[in-house]
Amino acid sequence: MADNGSYSGKDIQVLEGLEAVRKRPSMYIGSTGPRGLHHLVYEVVDNSVDEALAGFCTAIDITLHADDSVTVVDNGRGIPVDNVPKYRKSGVEVVLTILHAGGKFGGEGYKVSGGLHGVGVSVVNALSKRLEIEVRRDGKTHTQVYEYGKPTGPLKASGKAKATGTTLRFWSDDGIFETVSMNFEVLATRMRETAFLNKNLKLMLIDERELEPRTEEFRYTGGIVDFVKYLNEGKETLHSKPIYFEAEATEGAVEVALQWNSGYSDSVLAFANNINTTEGGTHLEGFKNALTRTINDYARRQNILKEKEENLSGEDIREGLAAVISVKLRDPQFEGQTKTKLGNTEMRGFVQQMVTQGLAEYLEEHPKPARAIVMKCSQAAKARAAARKARELTRRKSLLESSTLPGKLADCSLRDAALTEIYFVEGDSAGGSAKQARDRSFQAILPLKGKILNVEKAGITRALSSDEIQAMITAMGTGVAEEFDLAQARYHRAIIMTDADVDGAHIRCLILTFFYRFMKEMIEAGYVYIAQPPLYKATFGKKHEYAYTDRQLEQVLARLPEGTKYSLQRYKGLGEMNPDQLWETTMDPERRTLLRVTLDEDNASAAEVAFSELMGDAVEARKLFIQRHAKDVRFLDI
Ligand code: 0RA
């Protein structure tokens, strides 16, 4: 036995397993930054969600404590406490100390784990300074404590337990993680998504770190129908209720919900066993095939699409579409670069058949919305044809003109895109300072007239006829939308430089929206940045220091020896800085700080919702969004 003093080969294997996790944490959780830290919570919660999928758990509570530990409580069956003969340990200890043990026993049902993370709770244990587990099962409460992955004693049974369930509290190891402080909003987004995908499961997120504890409850009786409503929140929709189908067979279970809005962008999200399959896969292919065929068939039958007209393309049909496809299967195959592409071939036909049948029925039974949907698709086709023509014209124009670059662009002299950068600057006066301040060998400046067009509202055809937008596109050199080619980028850093005030923030949002909708790959490639001009300059004697936040200013002033006299300048805009100051604070690569703009990969829908709520038509949605995120700018993980 393991605890009679002799050390079995199996124990050594266990320690080596968890030691390997501590040595190379990134191999198991992706990173030791904030993203990896949050994965610890997802891992624990996913295990409880597996209990819910198996039909035994209805509520999960997540508490963020003041000491940065996290507790996850569920009302499932409880992790088995009996001895597992193969390991000669309790089930609890097996789950907590053996890599990938979670799914090994306890059998049937769909599981979240085994996908993207699915590394098992043992990884959380390995990366925690301390972990306390309590299992309520067989009428008793069983507890055990671990430190750095090792049990401090055996699993002890005590007291009576009326209900069943598991409580797990862990203290992330600050010797491994860059930070151990969880972000409420990041976890809330994930919990909301989990709640959408598991109808009726109740998730509570409780933050005890503030004086006033903050609680949010996520429970959606409509499941993915509510998810689609959420994606379309504040938008004008073409039909009042999302269309919904579900089917279950030997292949697994499929649910689809979809609803068109009057906007231009689509958000089609596909999940397999609750894992967001951002690389798509067979379920998404089946859905797209069915959608394109069924809508075209209907449009022809109704003679909205005339005999000599071409078929509507998939893209035309998906314009303004919000959809969620959620499949659950017993043995999911995850492929692709990030293991987020579903490979099971049986799913293509299964989803395709269900959507074809369900959608055809819906269209027949709801002639009014059906007509609105098909008209919208056919308008999209016409707009796309017009936009193509407009783009061809711009291209031809640029071939004819000797200089194809916009007149306002002060280009740099180096031609190697990997070495060069372009500043998008708010206003002509700041543009002028930036032109004087820059190092012209590698820094290009494009001044932009105040508020550029909001491409979220305008749509592609109008956007392409705006001078400012055209200037940005030609300066970048990449083209847009289907014609986008990252390899043609004329600069590998596109830096947004706006005033540090409300207007500046608005213009920054407009430029970010432009990149997100027209050149998303620029963001994905990590080519888009935000410049950070200082807010204050404190001068004392012959010296000066810049401060970029109010807090930093306090720190700068606090460091001054007592009685030192200083003067303070508050910069209201970039224009108030002279070129030298602009160079040393904001543009000099040796001294500046740039924020790289990234999309939160764990929450594909978050950026989508953020942009449409913030930049779209609906004023109410925008107000709500701003109120909700007033203290939190992490919707874009910049
Ligand atoms: C293995 C088997 C069974 C349940 C669990 C694991 C389980 C794990 C976790 C992790 C957090 N909460 C959990 N709840 C349950 C099935 C046990 C049985 O057959 O009764």
Side-chain angles (χ1 to χ4, degrees):
M1 289 280 290
D3 42 8
N4 69 0
S6 77
Y7 210 66
S8 77
K10 287 202 173 88
D11 291 312
I12 294 169
Q13 260 180 6
V14 167
L15 288 181
E16 279 177 350
L18 294 197
E19 225 18 76
V21 179
R22 293 181 58 78
K23 271 208 187 98
R24 292 200 175 73
S26 304
M27 275 196 30
Y28 299 86
I29 49 158
S31 80
T32 53
R35 210 172 152 210
L37 180 77
H38 291 91
H39 271 229
L40 299 185
V41 183
Y42 306 159
E43 191 55 55
V44 179
V45 172
D46 281 353
N47 278 277
S48 302
V49 173
D50 281 346
E51 271 297 278
L53 282 176
F56 298 100
C57 163
T58 58
I60 304 170
D61 291 356
I62 301 110
T63 306
L64 311 177
H65 300 284
D67 63 357
D68 279 328
S69 63
V70 179
T71 298
V72 178
V73 186
D74 71 44
N75 63 353
R77 288 168 291 181
I79 305 178
V81 292
D82 296 346
N83 225 47
V84 181
K86 183 181 163 204
Y87 294 103
R88 298 191 199 158
K89 292 170 187 293
S90 70
V92 170
E93 199 165 329
V94 170
V95 167
L96 284 171
T97 57
I98 296 175
L99 290 175
H100 304 288
K104 291 268 163 62
F105 59 105
E108 289 297 287
Y110 308 123
K111 278 194 185 302
V112 183
S113 18
L116 183 52
H117 5 93
V119 282
V121 230
S122 59
V123 169
V124 178
N125 192 21
L127 300 176
S128 293
K129 286 192 296 195
R130 179 182 172 88
L131 184 148
E132 297 172 358
I133 184 113
E134 180 192 290
V135 172
R136 296 167 294 282
R137 204 181 150 99
D138 307 331
K140 287 199 197 87
T141 301
H142 310 260
T143 55
Q144 196 174 23
V145 176
Y146 291 76
E147 280 169 10
Y148 301 96
K150 295 180 186 120
T152 60
L155 182 69
K156 270 194 211 137
S158 66
K160 279 195 192 127
K162 271 196 235 112
T164 61
T166 303
T167 300
L168 193 152
R169 180 172 184 176
F170 66 95
W171 286 254
S172 327
D173 188 347
D174 53 7
I176 286 184
F177 291 97
E178 289 159 30
T179 166
V180 290
S181 171
M182 302 283 175
N183 180 300
F184 186 91
E185 215 56 57
V186 168
L187 293 177
T189 307
R190 170 78 174 212
M191 295 314 129
R192 184 178 299 113
E193 192 173 285
T194 303
F196 280 137
L197 293 168
N198 300 279
K199 208 183 300 199
N200 286 319
L201 176 62
K202 180 164 95 53
L203 293 134
M204 288 261 274
L205 183 57
I206 302 141
D207 192 345
E208 292 179 346
R209 296 171 300 176
E210 305 283 332
L211 277 169
E212 188 76 18
R214 180 176 172 193
T215 304
E216 211 159 320
E217 184 182 308
F218 304 100
R219 177 168 184 245
Y220 298 101
T221 47
I224 63 167
V225 168
D226 287 341
F227 201 162
V228 167
K229 284 185 190 161
Y230 175 78
L231 291 172
N232 273 340
E233 208 170 81
K235 292 182 191 168
E236 188 195 326
T237 53
L238 300 193
H239 45 112
S240 56
K241 280 192 207 140
I243 307 167
Y244 174 80
F245 332 108
E246 62 183 328
E248 189 154 9
T250 48
E251 289 92 337
V254 186
E255 281 186 281
V256 173
L258 64 161
Q259 185 182 38
W260 275 268
N261 62 61
S262 59
Y264 302 103
S265 38
D266 67 294
S267 41
V268 177
L269 305 172
F271 298 85
N273 290 14
N274 285 348
I275 289 158
N276 189 344
T277 39
T278 46
E279 293 176 286
T282 51
H283 53 340
L284 186 61
E285 287 162 19
F287 170 77
K288 286 182 175 177
N289 290 345
L291 195 66
T292 308
R293 279 188 207 170
T294 312
I295 297 280
N296 270 300
D297 281 357
Y298 183 81
R300 293 237 179 256
R301 244 179 304 128
Q302 296 294 315
N303 212 25
I304 299 172
L305 199 59
K306 303 283 179 315
E307 216 171 308
K308 54 182 185 305
E309 284 180 299
E310 258 183 61
N311 260 358
L312 301 164
S313 75
E315 258 179 285
D316 300 331
I317 289 168
R318 291 191 300 274
E319 191 183 279
L321 176 68
V324 175
I325 300 130
S326 172
V327 301
K328 290 184 177 133
L329 58 175
R330 250 165 255 283
D331 186 20
Q333 305 296 316
F334 292 100
E335 303 168 350
Q337 289 242 305
T338 55
K339 295 268 174 281
T340 55
K341 183 173 182 184
L342 185 69
N344 302 57
T345 50
E346 72 277 13
M347 273 295 144
R348 190 183 294 106
F350 187 42
V351 176
Q352 185 165 332
Q353 205 217 329
M354 184 199 72
V355 175
T356 303
Q357 195 188 335
L359 188 59
E361 252 172 51
Y362 175 89
L363 295 173
E364 292 303 333
E365 286 166 16
H366 303 80
K368 248 180 146 175
R371 191 172 177 81
I373 291 165
V374 176
M375 292 304 282
K376 153 111 185 157
C377 301
S378 119
Q379 259 165 20
K382 288 186 183 119
R384 202 175 302 278
R388 201 174 302 126
K389 255 188 215 135
R391 272 201 306 273
E392 275 163 14
L393 275 178
T394 346
R395 208 179 314 125
R396 216 169 306 143
K397 212 166 78 192
S398 60
L399 281 175
L400 293 174
E401 287 166 8
S402 52
S403 156
T404 69
L405 292 171
K408 294 191 301 175
L409 174 74
D411 207 3
C412 52
S413 53
L414 285 172
R415 285 277 69 96
D416 181 353
L419 305 175
T420 63
E421 53 194 41
I422 180 167
Y423 280 83
F424 294 113
V425 186
E426 166 186 357
D428 285 331
S429 88
S433 298
K435 282 181 190 176
Q436 287 179 53
R438 70 182 175 139
D439 179 332
R440 60 177 59 233
S441 68
F442 71 97
Q443 292 178 316
I445 309 291
L446 182 69
L448 294 171
K449 246 188 264 146
K451 307 261 158 87
I452 65 159
L453 190 73
N454 180 353
V455 300
E456 185 72 34
K457 281 192 198 166
I460 190 159
T461 321
R462 251 187 74 211
L464 286 174
S465 55
S466 143
D467 288 344
E468 302 300 297
I469 302 280
Q470 272 186 5
M472 288 167 69
I473 297 170
T474 25
M476 274 320 309
T478 52
V480 292
E482 305 105 277
E483 282 164 11
F484 180 90
D485 182 4
L486 189 67
Q488 298 297 317
R490 302 183 62 249
Y491 319 90
H492 283 191
R493 279 192 293 276
I495 303 166
I496 303 167
M497 186 159 75
T498 59
D499 289 344
D501 60 10
V502 180
D503 276 347
H506 185 197
I507 294 165
R508 184 168 65 227
C509 261
L510 291 167
I511 301 176
L512 282 171
T513 307
F514 161 79
F515 275 111
Y516 184 74
R517 289 295 179 210
F518 286 6
M519 299 186 178
K520 197 167 171 186
E521 293 94 329
M522 284 280 295
I523 301 180
E524 284 163 351
Y527 287 0
V528 181
Y529 297 84
I530 293 170
Q532 293 245 269
L535 280 179
Y536 303 99
K537 181 186 185 183
T539 310
F540 30 95
K542 284 189 183 134
K543 286 198 195 142
H544 63 256
E545 252 187 88
Y546 294 101
Y548 294 82
T549 60
D550 286 307
R551 220 177 125 188
Q552 233 177 21
L553 178 68
E554 276 172 33
Q555 290 167 344
V556 167
L557 297 181
R559 273 203 303 272
L560 293 178
E562 189 120 17
T564 308
K565 284 213 177 70
Y566 64 87
S567 67
L568 199 61
Q569 187 183 1
R570 190 182 200 291
Y571 295 117
K572 287 198 206 69
L574 297 162
E576 290 183 11
M577 268 181 266
N578 65 37
D580 283 348
Q581 290 173 334
L582 191 57
W583 167 254
E584 73 175 292
T585 59
T586 317
M587 295 177 72
D588 177 6
E590 299 286 318
R591 284 176 283 185
R592 71 183 176 194
T593 331
L594 293 179
L595 295 178
R596 176 182 270 161
V597 179
T598 60
L599 295 169
D600 186 344
E601 289 170 61
D602 293 325
N603 292 301
S605 60
E608 190 63 42
V609 170
F611 274 108
S612 58
E613 284 189 7
L614 198 53
M615 310 308 286
D617 279 315
V619 181
E620 250 341 278
R622 178 168 25 246
K623 273 198 203 144
L624 263 174
F625 181 88
I626 292 170
Q627 281 165 11
R628 228 188 286 144
H629 295 268
K631 285 191 295 185
D632 197 292
V633 289
R634 287 199 45 138
F635 70 90
L636 258 182
D637 203 15
I638 32 185

